[in-house]
Structure formats: C-alpha cells, structure tokens
C-alpha cells in the first residue's frame, strides 16, 4: 500500500508541473503578440545650397538647408560640426555664425546611429565685405553663333571682379527646340532655327549677357572614308583625323565614334584653336582595333554606320605637335606653339645661329627604317647659306655607347651625319635618314648592332636634331621650329607622303 500511495503522489506532482508550464506558455502568448520594431537608418545627407562655397560677412548668421533619405528614416535628424570654430560656428539647427575672416568646412552627419560614408559638407568663407558682380561677358564667341544640329560648344565667361563672392550663373535658352544650354554653359544645337542663350548672375545683381544661336539642319552623311594614313598608328599618336565624305558639306561633327579596344586606338573630339575637330589616338598597346562611326538622325530618317580597322605598330613615330610634344615631351629644347615645337633664341642679324631639339625614341629599323623631320625657319633666312641639319642619335642613361650618327668623335660635331633638306610648298624643309644603312652608327657598341644595323626595340634618350651654320638677315627670336617627326616603312613611302601632303615634286 505504501508504494501505491507514493506513486500516486509522484504522478500528482508531475501533472501539476505540466499545468503550470501550460499556463506560462498561454500567458506568454497573451503578452508577446507584437513584432520587434525595425529602425530605418539614413542613407544620404544633402546640403541644399546652390553655391559650393557660401560666403558670409563677419558677424552674419545663416541657417543651412539640408535634406535626407530615405524619407521614412526612423531618426532623420543630423548633427553639425565646424572644422574651424575660430572662423565659423554652427549650432544644432545648422545655423552658421561668421566669427572671423577665413574659411571653415561645416559637416553634417546622422544625429543617431552610424552609417558608413553618410555625411555632407560645405565650405563657409567669411569676409569683411561682399564682392558682388559688376559686369559679365561671354569671351570666346561673337554675338552671333552659327551651329549645326547635334553640334555643341562650351561658352566661357568673364566677370568683374574676377572672383565675386557668389559666382554662379543661371543659363537659359529662349527656345529649347532650337538649342539647349546646361548649368555649366554648354550649348547643344537641337533643331533648325534661332535661339538666344542668356547667362544671368545669381548674387542679386541680376546682370546678364546673351548670345544668339543660329542652328542649321544636319546634312546627312552618305559616304565616309577614313584616310589610309591612319591604317597604321604610332603608340601615343595624336593626329587630326583625315577623311573624305559625301556630300562635301555633310555634318561630320554629328558622327559618334566607338572603339573595340581603347588601349589600342580611339577617336575623340578636341578643340584646335576655335574649331572642334576629330582626332585619332594611338593607345599604349600595339595591336588592332575597330573604330566605328555612326549617326542617328533626330528626324527619324535612316542613320549611317561604318567601321574601320586600324593597327598600332612598333617602330612607327608620328608626332605632329598639335596637342603634345610627342617624343620630345619633357625636354628643355622647345616650346609647343600652334602645332609646332619652337626653339626660342635671340640672335642679331647675320650672326651664326645654332640650336638643337632632343627627344626619346624607340627605333625598329627593320620595320620603319626611314626617319624624317620637317622644319621651319624664320622668314629672314639667308638664301645664300643653306642651313645644315645634323642628326645625333645615341643614349646617355644607361650609357650604351651607340655613338654619334655618322660621326667619329663627340667633340667634332661637324662629323655628325649631315642631312640634305628639301623645300616644301608651304616654305618648310624636310629631311630624312635611312637607319637600315649598315655601319651608319660609327664606333657603336656591337652588342646593339646586327650586321652593322641598330637592333629593333632599342630606346635612345638622346635623339638630337641639331642645326648648324644657320644665318638670318634680320634679328630673330624663334629661329627653328619642328613641324613633324615621322618614320616610314620605305623611301618610296616617304616620298609618296611628301608628294601627297607637302607639295614636293621629285624629278
């Protein structure tokens, strides 16, 4: 009987525990019906001021405007910090107080929590007195501008004073169906007609300047052929794109160019003088790329598309000095001016004038043996004394003892390789040297020659063009200018280039 009683007590105890657990679970269900609250943090802060630098007079106050995203952020507030409280302070509401002359960067960050990279800043400039705009002018265009559809031009402005306290212009077109203008003053021709583009100051002075734009319809491109001179390009080459198009007055500027490999070659628009042109660019890598010209007409008429294959090859040099000094980049022997590398030297009349240009070049005589140069002299060149061009091609660092081109000793410059010069139709002089001629590098290190000819792929840092025994009948300041430096695959190719491009006639 005792065992039965004990078992009954144990069972009763277990049932009581189970009842208590059930009650607890039921209570928990009653008190935990709501989900946990989800916080939405700030993803961006923007200071909504139209000026990148906001100017205040010392002693003034200004409350900065700002906005945040997302709009349903749990805590949308921001905290403000001044980078230089000796110049400007800022309170919890973003009110800036100008304390002393100078600049301070005011930064806004989330007031609650942390979000990586979420902040905004503005520079406050504190001055003694505001400098308001007194006048404005458009500097790079006449009062009337003629454009073709799809063409664009950047308007440039000048103000008095040069740096007003609040320099920001508002741009507006009188007819956006004819021409539009962006916030930076770039005008895009849209459709035929006339429109007035106006720039207005925003510092309260409301001064303005306008230019009238006349837009002509695009003349459709029917055929387009790139010149064969672009079939093979030099590394780093920048040259004006040459082509033939029909009709001759077709709107070539409307073409859009793409490339299959920009590291090999590409085409882009650049400004040369006051003209917008296409230039072809040789990349950093040798190889082949496909350049494609296309155009889509706004009136829905059939567009145009054509592709051209070009190659960048080792050994080709093609420096036209339009945008860079090319092989002579970084040298101290010439100044880039108007598409020429100019040597500036002051000499009195009838005095002997000598000078040199020095560049770094990599030669491949087996591929491009003809090394040629075109030079201009000042108009008062003495016709009785033909100038002498001497080529001096060697290397200094590391010294590889290539030696002097055609010479025997460094001290005897007159033993350098003398090059005869041919006159071009525009008054320039051209000359060439054939680097494939055996033993033309006298006394050169045999390690860099094969059968007396310079090995391919050798880079020489002292490629000098020296002019000797040059006389002018009048005083000069710019006696020499390189117009181009090129290599050719053969003497025949060199002569053909001169006939086609330089007006040279060979007997």
């Amino acid at each position: 009987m005792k065992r039965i009683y004990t078992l009954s007590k144990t069972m009763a105890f277990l049932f009581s525990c189970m009842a208590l657990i059930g009650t607890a679970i039921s209570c928990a269900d009653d008190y935990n019906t709501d989900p946990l609250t989800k916080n939405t943090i700030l993803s961006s802060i923007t200071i909504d001021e139209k000026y990148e630098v906001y100017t205040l007079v010392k002693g003034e106050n200004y409350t900065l405007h700002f906005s945040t995203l997302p709009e349903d952020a749990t805590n949308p507030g921001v905290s403000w910090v001044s980078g230089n409280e000796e110049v400007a302070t800022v309170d919890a509401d973003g009110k800036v107080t100008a304390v002393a002359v100078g600049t301070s960067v005011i930064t806004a960050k989330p007031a609650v929590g942390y979000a990586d990279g979420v902040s905004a800043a503005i520079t406050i400039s504190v001055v003694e007195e505001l400098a308001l705009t007194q006048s404005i002018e458009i500097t790079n265009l006449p009062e009337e501008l003629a454009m073709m559809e799809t063409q664009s031009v950047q308007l440039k402005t000048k103000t008095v004073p040069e740096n007003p306290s609040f320099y920001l212009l508002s741009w507006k077109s009188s007819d956006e169906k004819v021409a539009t203008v962006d916030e930076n003053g770039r005008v895009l021709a849209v459709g035929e007609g006339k429109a007035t583009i106006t720039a207005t100051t925003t510092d309260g002075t409301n001064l303005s300047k306008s230019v009238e734009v006349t837009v002509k319809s695009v003349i459709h491109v029917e055929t387009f052929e790139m010149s064969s001179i672009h079939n093979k390009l030099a590394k780093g080459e920048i040259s004006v794109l040459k082509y033939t198009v029909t009709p001759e007055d077709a709107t070539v500027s409307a073409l859009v160019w793409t490339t299959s490999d920009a590291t090999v070659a590409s085409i882009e628009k650049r400004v040369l003088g006051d003209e917008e042109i296409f230039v072809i660019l040789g990349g950093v890598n040798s190889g082949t790329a496909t350049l494609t010209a296309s155009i889509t007409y706004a009136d829905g008429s059939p567009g145009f598309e054509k592709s051209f294959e070009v190659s960048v090859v080792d050994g080709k040099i093609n420096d036209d000095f339009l945008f860079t000094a090319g092989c002579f980049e970084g040298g101290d022997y010439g100044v880039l001016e108007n598409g020429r590398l100019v040597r500036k030297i002051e000499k009195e009349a009838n005095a002997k004038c000598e000078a040199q240009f020095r560049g770094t070049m990599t030669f491949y005589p087996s591929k491009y043996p003809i090394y040629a140069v075109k030079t201009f002299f000042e108009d008062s060149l003495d016709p009785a004394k033909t100038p002498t061009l001497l080529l001096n091609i060697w290397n200094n660092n590391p010294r590889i003892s290539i030696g002097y081109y055609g010479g025997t000793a460094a001290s005897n410059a007159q033993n350098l390789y003398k090059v005869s010069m041919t006159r071009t139709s525009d008054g320039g002089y051209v000359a060439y040297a054939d680097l494939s001629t055996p033993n033309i590098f006298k006394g050169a290190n045999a390690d860099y020659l094969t059968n007396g000819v310079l090995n391919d792929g050798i880079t020489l840092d002292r490629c000098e063009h020296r002019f000797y025994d040059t006389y002018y009948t009048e005083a000069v300041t710019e006696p020499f200018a390189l117009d181009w430096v090129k290599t050719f695959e053969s003497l025949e190719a060199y002569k053909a280039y001169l006939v086609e491009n330089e007006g040279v006639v060979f007997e």
Side-chain angles (χ1 to χ4, degrees):
M1 292 293 295
K2 186 176 181 179
R3 289 184 61 190
I4 294 174
Y5 174 74
T6 302
L7 180 60
S8 298
K9 289 175 62 179
T10 301
M11 293 296 292
F13 175 75
L14 290 175
F15 281 121
S16 298
C17 290
M18 291 176 66
L20 289 172
I21 292 171
T23 301
I25 292 174
S26 176
C27 292
D29 291 341
D30 291 340
Y31 288 99
N32 291 279
T33 58
D34 296 330
L36 294 174
T37 301
K38 180 181 179 181
N39 290 329
T40 303
I41 63 174
L42 290 180
S43 60
S44 75
I45 301 172
T46 303
I47 296 178
D48 299 318
E49 302 294 342
K50 60 185 177 182
Y51 301 103
E52 292 182 0
V53 177
Y54 199 93
T55 304
L56 293 173
V57 174
K58 187 173 68 174
E60 280 187 334
N61 296 319
Y62 180 77
T63 300
L64 295 170
H65 301 82
F66 72 97
S67 57
T68 60
L69 288 175
E71 295 180 355
D72 61 346
T74 305
N75 295 290
V78 301
S79 62
W80 298 90
V81 178
S82 171
N84 187 350
E85 293 192 341
E86 294 182 357
V87 172
T89 61
V90 61
D91 67 12
D93 297 320
K95 184 172 76 174
V96 178
T97 300
V99 178
V101 173
T103 59
S104 177
V105 177
I106 304 298
T107 303
K109 296 182 178 181
V112 177
Y114 172 78
D116 186 26
V118 178
S119 65
I122 187 172
T123 299
I124 301 296
S125 174
V126 179
V127 297
E128 292 284 358
E129 183 179 359
L130 291 179
L132 298 179
T133 308
Q134 299 174 19
S135 67
I136 179 176
E137 61 177 312
I138 297 175
T139 60
N140 63 322
L141 293 174
E143 292 185 359
E144 294 186 8
L145 172 65
M147 301 178 68
M148 302 294 293
E149 288 176 352
T150 74
Q151 188 179 5
S152 66
V153 64
Q154 175 66 55
L155 299 182
K156 298 180 181 179
T157 60
K158 180 180 179 181
T159 61
V160 176
E162 186 175 348
N163 296 303
S165 298
F166 294 97
Y167 182 63
L168 183 66
L169 298 176
S170 172
W171 292 91
K172 184 178 181 180
S173 170
S174 64
D175 190 344
E176 293 193 344
K177 292 181 179 179
V178 175
T180 61
V181 60
D182 68 14
E183 60 184 8
N184 299 312
R186 176 165 285 278
V187 178
L188 174 64
V190 178
E192 188 174 7
K194 289 189 176 184
T196 300
I197 306 298
T198 303
T200 304
T201 58
T202 61
D203 59 1
T205 57
N206 292 320
L207 301 175
S208 64
K209 189 69 176 180
S210 299
V211 59
E212 186 174 89
V213 177
T214 300
V215 178
K216 298 180 180 180
S217 296
V218 168
I219 300 174
H220 291 200
V221 175
E222 296 176 4
T223 66
F224 183 94
E225 294 294 335
M226 183 189 299
S227 171
S228 61
I229 66 171
H230 301 307
N231 290 349
K232 294 181 179 179
L233 306 174
K235 289 182 179 179
E237 174 180 333
I238 306 177
S239 56
V240 176
L241 181 67
K242 295 185 178 182
Y243 55 85
T244 56
V245 62
T246 58
E248 292 184 356
D249 58 349
T251 311
V252 177
S253 62
L255 291 173
V256 176
W257 287 91
T258 59
T259 177
S260 63
D261 189 345
T263 67
V264 174
S266 59
I267 291 178
E268 65 180 34
K269 282 184 179 179
R270 290 199 179 186
V271 176
L272 185 61
D274 295 328
E275 184 182 4
E276 191 175 53
I277 61 171
F278 285 115
V279 295
I280 189 165
L281 310 175
V284 297
N285 294 330
S286 56
T288 301
T290 301
L291 304 175
T292 301
S294 63
I295 185 171
T296 301
Y297 296 111
D299 61 6
S301 57
F304 174 87
E305 181 173 313
K306 187 164 185 179
S307 296
F308 305 89
E309 191 172 90
V310 299
S311 299
V312 170
V313 294
D314 292 323
K316 187 172 179 63
I317 296 171
N318 190 23
D319 290 333
D320 287 324
F321 307 125
L322 291 174
F323 300 97
T324 71
C327 297
F328 298 89
E329 197 76 57
D332 298 326
Y333 297 94
V335 178
L336 202 63
E337 289 185 356
N338 301 318
R340 293 175 184 169
L341 198 61
V342 180
R343 189 74 162 92
K344 295 180 179 290
I345 304 173
E346 293 186 8
K347 284 289 184 179
E348 298 294 330
N350 300 312
K352 184 167 71 171
C353 191
E354 299 179 352
Q356 65 176 301
F357 297 86
R358 179 184 293 172
T360 299
M361 304 179 194
T362 303
F363 294 101
Y364 284 76
S366 70
K367 299 179 180 179
Y368 284 85
I370 304 301
Y371 178 76
V373 57
K374 181 181 178 182
T375 307
F376 279 93
F377 301 91
E378 286 205 14
D379 293 338
S380 62
L381 184 68
D382 190 340
K385 300 179 179 179
T386 303
T388 301
L389 172 63
L390 307 175
L391 293 185
N392 176 20
I393 302 175
W394 55 298
N395 204 66
N396 183 54
N397 186 21
R399 195 65 171 254
I400 60 174
S401 300
I402 287 296
Y404 286 83
Y405 190 108
T408 57
S411 61
N412 188 0
Q414 296 303 326
N415 283 339
L416 300 181
Y417 188 82
K418 294 184 179 181
V419 181
S420 61
M421 308 190 78
T422 303
R423 201 74 188 269
T424 59
S425 60
D426 58 359
Y429 288 81
V430 290
Y432 79 94
D434 187 348
L435 302 184
S436 66
T437 304
N439 302 316
I440 203 165
F441 285 92
K442 303 296 183 181
N445 190 323
D447 293 339
Y448 299 94
L449 302 175
T450 300
N451 298 324
V453 177
L454 186 68
N455 293 335
D456 285 346
I458 292 181
T459 299
L460 307 179
D461 69 0
R462 292 292 182 93
C463 302
E464 297 177 355
H465 301 71
R466 296 188 179 189
F467 297 93
Y468 284 89
D469 300 331
T470 307
Y471 293 84
Y472 292 91
T473 58
E474 300 176 6
V476 294
T477 58
E478 300 178 358
F480 311 106
L482 289 184
D483 190 62
W484 52 251
V485 174
K486 302 176 185 288
T487 56
F488 296 88
E489 294 175 288
S490 65
L491 184 57
E492 290 72 22
Y494 165 67
K495 290 183 176 180
Y497 178 86
L498 296 186
V499 171
E500 181 179 351
N501 298 279
E502 301 293 348
V504 175
V505 177
F506 293 95
E507 295 181 357

